[in-house]
Amino acid sequence: MTELLSSHSIEAALAQCNNPAHIYIGYSGGVDSHVLLHLCASIASLKNRMTAVYVHHGLQAEAESWAKHCKKTAENLGVDFKLLRVNAVASQGESPEEAARNARYTALKSLIGIEDALLVAQHRDDQLETVLLQLFRGSGLRGLSAMPKIMVFGQGVLLRPLLNVSKLAIDDYARVHALNWVDDPSNRSNDYDRNFLRNAVLPLLKQRWPACDKTVARSARHCADAQVLISALAEDLFRQVFNATDNTLCISQLKLYEIAQQRLVIRQWFHVLDLKMPAQAFVERLLSEVLWAREKSDPVLAGQGYCVRRYRDKLYCLKQAAPESVQDIVWPAGQTSIKVSWNQALSCVPASAGICREQWQNATIVVKARNGGEKIRLPGRTGHHALKKLFQEAGIPPWERETMPLVYLDDKLAAVGDLWISADFYCEKMLDCIGLSLQRGE
């Protein structure tokens, strides 16, 4: 017997987030999102705080007519409508499905304010597909947990009120209410993994195991419960070795953990840094080639736009980029900030200690790259000190030393980035000094 679908599913989902101030409905024009929109529109109390949102990916010629269809359907239901256009062209290493999803979710996040909710129409069969895809990719508990019913999204939340509803129930609702939806022809192409599962594999599975959507969804919930416990453990282990100042891990403390705990910490690190989860092979290489490398070696493990390396007792995860090169450049008079390389900028700010303002204003200021052999005299210390020695004393990683801009006043070294100021230019005078700040791009 097919389950009956009603607006109670929507009301129950909204109750989980204390009835949002405004509700956005992801509406593609397909049958699933049309049913979701129709259910929401049947709740009179939602009408004045609800907007149907169509995301135009620009990938298919029919997309323009689908947008018009969605706008007309929303208007017929008395629901506000919004069209978002995105660039969904896949970048290097990104699948077409992933590119479209990322572009769509980025655009939708920009809409969702505090106390707002986005409702999307994923259902139990979608959950089954997601679990199987994650299983075939060798995912751990986090991946096998598949899609949550509620999650933080933008400044608000994302809700999946139909996640425990079967596809059959959704199709029956559409038929009973004589809904008119669009059919995306790309859904019939088995070139995409999800479509292949949906069109060729799941019908066979359901012939043998008719309730597999329910049982696999239940397994996903078990995985999600287990992941909550694992995440709490990972967070506790992680915080004991994590330095929030520079987003590094303490090598000596991490080595004290069991190997399984080390893997947990590495994955938690990537999660906190908002990076794509590393493959198991990458984690194993990170542990063997970087964590356990010889103390004075400088291994670099690169992948997926970032690289992991070590210096002294710290593990660093750095964005991979073209080699940084500081350009020799004159700092224009009166300008408070200057770009010194493609990813770095220096700013001058009023300070109670720093370069004497009068010297700063009357000098020709030039920013230069390091050539090697530079020395500086520091306030409170005798003699001149080689920058190489100062960098070592301060524990500045080698890759940061190479890109540290040097500030010269009238051809005399006055400052090393925002680290040190020469005693020849240093003063302490309330708000009559210039301090320097070096900003690096993410």
mmCIF file of all heavy atoms in Angstrom, residues 392-417:
data_model
loop_
_atom_site.group_PDB
_atom_site.id
_atom_site.type_symbol
_atom_site.label_atom_id
_atom_site.label_comp_id
_atom_site.label_asym_id
_atom_site.label_seq_id
_atom_site.Cartn_x
_atom_site.Cartn_y
_atom_site.Cartn_z
ATOM 1 N N GLN A 392 64.812 32.263 11.845
ATOM 2 C CA GLN A 392 64.990 30.998 12.553
ATOM 3 C C GLN A 392 64.567 31.130 14.014
ATOM 4 O O GLN A 392 63.870 30.268 14.556
ATOM 5 C CB GLN A 392 66.435 30.526 12.448
ATOM 6 C CG GLN A 392 66.835 30.069 11.051
ATOM 7 C CD GLN A 392 68.323 29.775 10.926
ATOM 8 O OE1 GLN A 392 69.117 30.146 11.782
ATOM 9 N NE2 GLN A 392 68.697 29.100 9.842
ATOM 10 N N GLU A 393 64.983 32.238 14.654
ATOM 11 C CA GLU A 393 64.612 32.467 16.048
ATOM 12 C C GLU A 393 63.096 32.526 16.218
ATOM 13 O O GLU A 393 62.548 32.005 17.191
ATOM 14 C CB GLU A 393 65.196 33.805 16.536
ATOM 15 C CG GLU A 393 66.665 33.791 16.862
ATOM 16 C CD GLU A 393 67.146 35.158 17.331
ATOM 17 O OE1 GLU A 393 66.292 35.970 17.774
ATOM 18 O OE2 GLU A 393 68.365 35.420 17.245
ATOM 19 N N ALA A 394 62.426 33.184 15.278
ATOM 20 C CA ALA A 394 60.981 33.386 15.374
ATOM 21 C C ALA A 394 60.180 32.183 14.884
ATOM 22 O O ALA A 394 58.953 32.161 15.025
ATOM 23 C CB ALA A 394 60.578 34.627 14.573
ATOM 24 N N GLY A 395 60.870 31.187 14.313
ATOM 25 C CA GLY A 395 60.169 29.998 13.823
ATOM 26 C C GLY A 395 59.326 30.265 12.588
ATOM 27 O O GLY A 395 58.303 29.609 12.372
ATOM 28 N N ILE A 396 59.760 31.225 11.765
ATOM 29 C CA ILE A 396 59.035 31.521 10.519
ATOM 30 C C ILE A 396 59.355 30.435 9.499
ATOM 31 O O ILE A 396 60.520 30.197 9.191
ATOM 32 C CB ILE A 396 59.449 32.895 9.955
ATOM 33 C CG1 ILE A 396 59.288 33.994 11.009
ATOM 34 C CG2 ILE A 396 58.645 33.222 8.705
ATOM 35 C CD1 ILE A 396 57.887 34.194 11.498
ATOM 36 N N PRO A 397 58.349 29.755 8.955
ATOM 37 C CA PRO A 397 58.605 28.686 7.976
ATOM 38 C C PRO A 397 59.361 29.210 6.759
ATOM 39 O O PRO A 397 59.173 30.367 6.355
ATOM 40 C CB PRO A 397 57.200 28.218 7.584
ATOM 41 C CG PRO A 397 56.312 28.647 8.698
ATOM 42 C CD PRO A 397 56.905 29.920 9.219
ATOM 43 N N PRO A 398 60.197 28.384 6.147
ATOM 44 C CA PRO A 398 61.009 28.810 4.997
ATOM 45 C C PRO A 398 60.185 29.415 3.867
ATOM 46 O O PRO A 398 60.619 30.387 3.234
ATOM 47 C CB PRO A 398 61.710 27.519 4.558
ATOM 48 C CG PRO A 398 61.770 26.688 5.795
ATOM 49 C CD PRO A 398 60.520 26.999 6.559
ATOM 50 N N TRP A 399 59.002 28.838 3.578
ATOM 51 C CA TRP A 399 58.219 29.326 2.441
ATOM 52 C C TRP A 399 57.632 30.718 2.716
ATOM 53 O O TRP A 399 57.328 31.446 1.787
ATOM 54 C CB TRP A 399 57.103 28.340 2.092
ATOM 55 C CG TRP A 399 56.188 27.995 3.228
ATOM 56 C CD1 TRP A 399 55.035 28.634 3.597
ATOM 57 C CD2 TRP A 399 56.349 26.908 4.145
ATOM 58 N NE1 TRP A 399 54.469 28.022 4.682
ATOM 59 C CE2 TRP A 399 55.257 26.958 5.044
ATOM 60 C CE3 TRP A 399 57.309 25.909 4.312
ATOM 61 C CZ2 TRP A 399 55.100 26.046 6.089
ATOM 62 C CZ3 TRP A 399 57.150 25.000 5.350
ATOM 63 C CH2 TRP A 399 56.065 25.063 6.224
ATOM 64 N N GLU A 400 57.514 31.111 3.988
ATOM 65 C CA GLU A 400 57.049 32.460 4.303
ATOM 66 C C GLU A 400 58.200 33.464 4.255
ATOM 67 O O GLU A 400 58.010 34.635 3.923
ATOM 68 C CB GLU A 400 56.370 32.499 5.670
ATOM 69 C CG GLU A 400 55.029 31.793 5.710
ATOM 70 C CD GLU A 400 54.314 31.951 7.045
ATOM 71 O OE1 GLU A 400 54.755 32.790 7.869
ATOM 72 O OE2 GLU A 400 53.331 31.226 7.285
ATOM 73 N N ARG A 401 59.396 32.996 4.589
ATOM 74 C CA ARG A 401 60.560 33.892 4.548
ATOM 75 C C ARG A 401 60.810 34.381 3.129
ATOM 76 O O ARG A 401 61.156 35.545 2.901
ATOM 77 C CB ARG A 401 61.815 33.154 5.031
ATOM 78 C CG ARG A 401 61.720 32.582 6.427
ATOM 79 C CD ARG A 401 62.982 31.787 6.729
ATOM 80 N NE ARG A 401 62.776 30.854 7.832
ATOM 81 C CZ ARG A 401 63.665 29.953 8.214
ATOM 82 N NH1 ARG A 401 64.828 29.859 7.579
ATOM 83 N NH2 ARG A 401 63.412 29.145 9.216
ATOM 84 N N GLU A 402 60.652 33.468 2.175
ATOM 85 C CA GLU A 402 60.956 33.789 0.778
ATOM 86 C C GLU A 402 60.055 34.879 0.220
ATOM 87 O O GLU A 402 60.410 35.571 -0.740
ATOM 88 C CB GLU A 402 60.819 32.519 -0.078
ATOM 89 C CG GLU A 402 61.815 31.420 0.308
ATOM 90 C CD GLU A 402 61.392 30.051 -0.217
ATOM 91 O OE1 GLU A 402 60.376 30.000 -0.953
ATOM 92 O OE2 GLU A 402 62.046 29.052 0.121
ATOM 93 N N THR A 403 58.875 35.031 0.814
ATOM 94 C CA THR A 403 57.905 35.996 0.277
ATOM 95 C C THR A 403 57.682 37.180 1.211
ATOM 96 O O THR A 403 56.716 37.919 1.050
ATOM 97 C CB THR A 403 56.556 35.297 0.021
ATOM 98 O OG1 THR A 403 56.051 34.796 1.269
ATOM 99 C CG2 THR A 403 56.713 34.148 -0.954
ATOM 100 N N MET A 404 58.576 37.352 2.205
ATOM 101 C CA MET A 404 58.421 38.453 3.153
ATOM 102 C C MET A 404 58.896 39.760 2.526
ATOM 103 O O MET A 404 60.063 39.899 2.155
ATOM 104 C CB MET A 404 59.230 38.154 4.422
ATOM 105 C CG MET A 404 58.986 39.146 5.548
ATOM 106 S SD MET A 404 57.291 39.099 6.185
ATOM 107 C CE MET A 404 57.226 37.420 6.838
ATOM 108 N N PRO A 405 58.025 40.766 2.389
ATOM 109 C CA PRO A 405 58.439 42.041 1.786
ATOM 110 C C PRO A 405 59.283 42.868 2.762
ATOM 111 O O PRO A 405 59.026 42.876 3.972
ATOM 112 C CB PRO A 405 57.106 42.728 1.499
ATOM 113 C CG PRO A 405 56.149 42.158 2.494
ATOM 114 C CD PRO A 405 56.588 40.742 2.728
ATOM 115 N N LEU A 406 60.259 43.549 2.222
ATOM 116 C CA LEU A 406 61.119 44.427 3.010
ATOM 117 C C LEU A 406 60.787 45.875 2.667
ATOM 118 O O LEU A 406 60.640 46.223 1.495
ATOM 119 C CB LEU A 406 62.594 44.152 2.717
ATOM 120 C CG LEU A 406 63.060 42.693 2.866
ATOM 121 C CD1 LEU A 406 64.567 42.593 2.620
ATOM 122 C CD2 LEU A 406 62.697 42.131 4.239
ATOM 123 N N VAL A 407 60.663 46.714 3.706
ATOM 124 C CA VAL A 407 60.278 48.110 3.512
ATOM 125 C C VAL A 407 61.506 49.003 3.742
ATOM 126 O O VAL A 407 62.129 48.947 4.814
ATOM 127 C CB VAL A 407 59.145 48.514 4.470
ATOM 128 C CG1 VAL A 407 58.764 49.979 4.247
ATOM 129 C CG2 VAL A 407 57.930 47.609 4.251
ATOM 130 N N TYR A 408 61.840 49.796 2.720
ATOM 131 C CA TYR A 408 62.994 50.696 2.801
ATOM 132 C C TYR A 408 62.525 52.145 2.822
ATOM 133 O O TYR A 408 61.647 52.538 2.039
ATOM 134 C CB TYR A 408 63.916 50.483 1.595
ATOM 135 C CG TYR A 408 64.679 49.185 1.626
ATOM 136 C CD1 TYR A 408 64.076 47.985 1.233
ATOM 137 C CD2 TYR A 408 66.003 49.139 2.048
ATOM 138 C CE1 TYR A 408 64.763 46.782 1.257
ATOM 139 C CE2 TYR A 408 66.712 47.942 2.072
ATOM 140 C CZ TYR A 408 66.088 46.771 1.689
ATOM 141 O OH TYR A 408 66.784 45.574 1.717
ATOM 142 N N LEU A 409 63.093 52.939 3.726
ATOM 143 C CA LEU A 409 62.881 54.374 3.760
ATOM 144 C C LEU A 409 64.184 55.047 3.340
ATOM 145 O O LEU A 409 65.216 54.865 4.006
ATOM 146 C CB LEU A 409 62.472 54.853 5.156
ATOM 147 C CG LEU A 409 60.952 54.861 5.468
ATOM 148 C CD1 LEU A 409 60.369 53.456 5.365
ATOM 149 C CD2 LEU A 409 60.692 55.455 6.843
ATOM 150 N N ASP A 410 64.128 55.765 2.210
ATOM 151 C CA ASP A 410 65.328 56.409 1.670
ATOM 152 C C ASP A 410 66.499 55.431 1.577
ATOM 153 O O ASP A 410 67.620 55.709 2.033
ATOM 154 C CB ASP A 410 65.711 57.629 2.517
ATOM 155 C CG ASP A 410 64.689 58.746 2.414
ATOM 156 O OD1 ASP A 410 64.008 58.833 1.371
ATOM 157 O OD2 ASP A 410 64.559 59.522 3.379
ATOM 158 N N ASP A 411 66.216 54.251 1.014
ATOM 159 C CA ASP A 411 67.215 53.207 0.753
ATOM 160 C C ASP A 411 67.770 52.545 2.011
ATOM 161 O O ASP A 411 68.749 51.791 1.937
ATOM 162 C CB ASP A 411 68.383 53.758 -0.079
ATOM 163 C CG ASP A 411 67.949 54.149 -1.477
ATOM 164 O OD1 ASP A 411 67.057 53.467 -2.028
ATOM 165 O OD2 ASP A 411 68.476 55.146 -2.006
ATOM 166 N N LYS A 412 67.162 52.772 3.169
ATOM 167 C CA LYS A 412 67.593 52.106 4.394
ATOM 168 C C LYS A 412 66.504 51.133 4.851
ATOM 169 O O LYS A 412 65.320 51.500 4.863
ATOM 170 C CB LYS A 412 67.872 53.123 5.509
ATOM 171 C CG LYS A 412 69.078 54.013 5.241
ATOM 172 C CD LYS A 412 69.305 54.971 6.408
ATOM 173 C CE LYS A 412 70.505 55.878 6.145
ATOM 174 N NZ LYS A 412 70.714 56.850 7.268
ATOM 175 N N LEU A 413 66.893 49.911 5.205
ATOM 176 C CA LEU A 413 65.914 48.913 5.632
ATOM 177 C C LEU A 413 65.228 49.375 6.919
ATOM 178 O O LEU A 413 65.873 49.541 7.958
ATOM 179 C CB LEU A 413 66.604 47.565 5.858
ATOM 180 C CG LEU A 413 65.694 46.412 6.314
ATOM 181 C CD1 LEU A 413 64.573 46.164 5.309
ATOM 182 C CD2 LEU A 413 66.515 45.126 6.526
ATOM 183 N N ALA A 414 63.916 49.589 6.829
ATOM 184 C CA ALA A 414 63.153 50.103 7.965
ATOM 185 C C ALA A 414 62.269 49.044 8.617
ATOM 186 O O ALA A 414 62.018 49.096 9.822
ATOM 187 C CB ALA A 414 62.285 51.280 7.521
ATOM 188 N N ALA A 415 61.785 48.071 7.829
ATOM 189 C CA ALA A 415 60.876 47.060 8.392
ATOM 190 C C ALA A 415 60.939 45.780 7.576
ATOM 191 O O ALA A 415 61.172 45.803 6.360
ATOM 192 C CB ALA A 415 59.448 47.598 8.424
ATOM 193 N N VAL A 416 60.715 44.686 8.259
ATOM 194 C CA VAL A 416 60.629 43.366 7.637
ATOM 195 C C VAL A 416 59.177 42.909 7.746
ATOM 196 O O VAL A 416 58.732 42.452 8.801
ATOM 197 C CB VAL A 416 61.572 42.366 8.327
ATOM 198 C CG1 VAL A 416 61.468 40.992 7.655
ATOM 199 C CG2 VAL A 416 63.001 42.872 8.319
ATOM 200 N N GLY A 417 58.419 43.093 6.653
ATOM 201 C CA GLY A 417 56.997 42.785 6.697
ATOM 202 C C GLY A 417 56.351 43.493 7.876
ATOM 203 O O GLY A 417 56.581 44.677 8.127
#
